Amino acid sequence: MIGAGLLSKLPEVLSSYDAGTALVITDPGVASAGIADRVCGLTETAGFRPVVWDRVRPNPRTSTVDEVAARYRDSRVRVVVGIGGGSVLDAAKGIALMLQNSGPVAQYQGRNRFPNGSAPFVAIPTTCGTGSEVTWVSVLTSEAERRKISVKGDRMFPAWAIADSELLASLPEHLIATTAMDAATHAVEAAVGRQANPASDALAAGALRRILDHLESAVERRTPKSLTALMEASTLAGMAFGNADVAGVHCLSEAIGGRHDLPHGALNAALLVPVLRYQEREAAGKLNTLGEACGTPDLLSALETLSRAVGIPSFRELRVPREDYEPIAREAEQNGSNGSNPRTMTAADYLAILREL
């Protein structure tokens, strides 16, 4: 469900489940903005008893998923509601899974490795970048290993996604910018990668066109039209990479984020054009096709210009320590999405990009 004001439909969504406990997962910022309270009120309207966990951190930890699942596994939770950005939705998706599976979530890293299904999960994004509301993956940070892991499976898709663009109105400008550029990264990597297909191409083009047309006005004026376009873009881009894959930008950003707890959207935004420039020879045809679909003949230059206009920080400003470049490059090569790159990428290639930046 995508559009303005659709959060009010939550009781109707919940009516398809037996009444009982609704576990509401969020973060301190969403809670302090009063949005979690509104969600709790709507769950009560549907006959549920809301229980709130509001301590999800950016780049959510496996330890958080394990802790919350262990606490509520025997509480007869009927439905999990995640309300927040990508970190919250990934954590909530992992928690919904682990309510019905035992042991640490890290043991299920990979695809369809868990024996049981997932508790029903309703995803409500409050940013315009994650796409997690329409994907089968929970990306979590293993603190012990200082790296990100992906737990994914056919039974991990949210049962419902309520993408209410009115929830974007209170976002700070920099979060609108970085999360939307995260969605742009999802769209572009889905389109240029080796797993691209006609369905993902159409979704990617629809998402990116909306971002190119509306991001500046959303940052500057937060018009309802521009915010709705960005929420649509985020969800479409999530569907695009869910039906294809991401690639080298994410390989690097996840390796860096696992080590240094930097914002995923800001990392993707800073790395998007540099990684694509490095792969431009192999990706040129698909970039041209995507640019034509968006009415932009030079797509990489358009993305560069847009990033500057909305204040995306440069990679240098993110202050990633140089002594970590080599282990980051090795981890990027080991990422499960490395094989989707349009150009075969080794640790040496990733290291070359980092050093150039």
Side-chain angles (χ1 to χ4, degrees):
M1 306 172 73
I2 313 175
L6 289 176
L7 183 58
S8 63
K9 298 286 188 181
L10 181 58
E12 180 182 325
V13 166
L14 294 178
S15 68
S16 58
Y17 304 107
D18 293 334
T21 298
L23 180 56
V24 179
I25 306 297
T26 190
D27 63 31
V30 173
S32 66
I35 300 172
D37 287 341
R38 184 179 169 198
V39 167
C40 288
L42 292 168
T43 62
E44 290 174 338
T45 298
F48 285 79
R49 181 178 69 90
V51 175
V52 179
W53 179 277
D54 61 3
R55 286 177 270 167
V56 176
R57 296 165 57 187
N59 297 310
R61 278 45 171 182
T62 55
S63 58
T64 297
V65 170
D66 291 338
E67 177 186 353
V68 179
R71 175 175 294 200
Y72 295 106
R73 191 172 283 124
D74 298 325
S75 299
R76 311 190 98 183
V77 172
R78 301 296 188 187
V79 63
V80 176
V81 180
I83 173 78
S87 294
V88 167
L89 298 188
D90 277 13
K93 198 181 299 181
I95 291 164
L97 174 74
M98 294 307 297
L99 287 174
Q100 297 191 7
N101 292 272
S102 60
V105 67
Q107 71 181 317
Y108 302 125
Q109 179 180 355
R111 176 176 176 172
N112 286 324
R113 296 189 61 188
F114 44 88
N116 303 318
S118 171
F121 173 44
V122 178
I124 306 173
T126 60
T127 66
C128 47
T130 170
S132 184
E133 71 273 11
V134 288
T135 70
W136 67 341
V137 60
S138 172
V139 179
L140 304 167
T141 297
S142 170
E143 291 175 287
E145 301 177 78
R146 293 184 67 204
R147 70 182 184 91
K148 292 195 174 187
I149 67 168
S150 294
V151 179
K152 62 182 70 174
D154 298 301
R155 291 172 287 179
M156 288 182 66
F157 285 102
W160 290 85
I162 302 176
D164 184 346
S165 56
E166 288 182 356
L167 299 179
L168 303 178
S170 61
L171 273 186
E173 291 178 3
H174 75 279
L175 283 180
I176 293 176
T178 56
T179 59
M181 289 304 294
D182 186 14
T185 306
H186 293 155
V188 176
E189 291 206 295
V192 303
R194 295 183 184 182
Q195 307 301 321
N197 57 74
S200 61
D201 285 349
L203 292 160
L208 189 59
R209 187 168 57 249
R210 285 167 169 82
I211 293 167
L212 291 169
D213 289 347
H214 295 282
L215 178 53
E216 283 191 73
S217 61
V219 169
E220 294 170 2
R221 295 183 294 279
R222 288 185 176 83
T223 64
K225 180 180 179 180
S226 64
L227 295 178
T228 297
L230 291 188
M231 188 62 94
E232 291 172 350
S234 176
T235 302
L236 289 171
M239 295 170 73
F241 84 81
N243 282 280
D245 195 6
V246 288
V249 178
H250 276 77
C251 294
L252 273 178
S253 67
E254 289 176 6
I256 296 167
R259 283 178 165 267
H260 296 291
D261 204 24
L262 291 166
H264 178 70
L267 282 167
N268 276 345
L271 290 165
L272 176 57
V273 172
V275 171
L276 289 172
R277 292 277 188 214
Y278 192 84
Q279 301 176 339
E280 191 167 7
R281 184 176 62 185
E282 292 79 7
K286 291 182 176 180
L287 283 171
N288 289 338
T289 299
L290 181 60
E292 289 171 4
C294 296
T296 304
D298 187 345
L299 183 56
L300 294 188
S301 293
L303 289 168
E304 257 179 342
T305 300
L306 180 61
S307 293
R308 286 195 298 269
V310 297
I312 296 298
S314 68
F315 182 78
R316 183 184 295 272
E317 289 175 292
L318 296 173
R319 304 178 70 83
V320 178
R322 284 180 170 270
E323 58 268 24
D324 277 358
Y325 284 6
E326 290 191 14
I328 286 168
R330 289 194 296 269
E331 288 177 28
E333 183 183 17
Q334 294 164 7
N335 190 291
S337 295
N338 187 48
S340 294
N341 276 302
R343 170 177 177 167
T344 299
M345 296 286 286
T346 67
D349 293 300
Y350 288 114
L351 184 59
I353 292 170
L354 293 172
R355 285 176 170 166
E356 178 66 24
L357 286 166

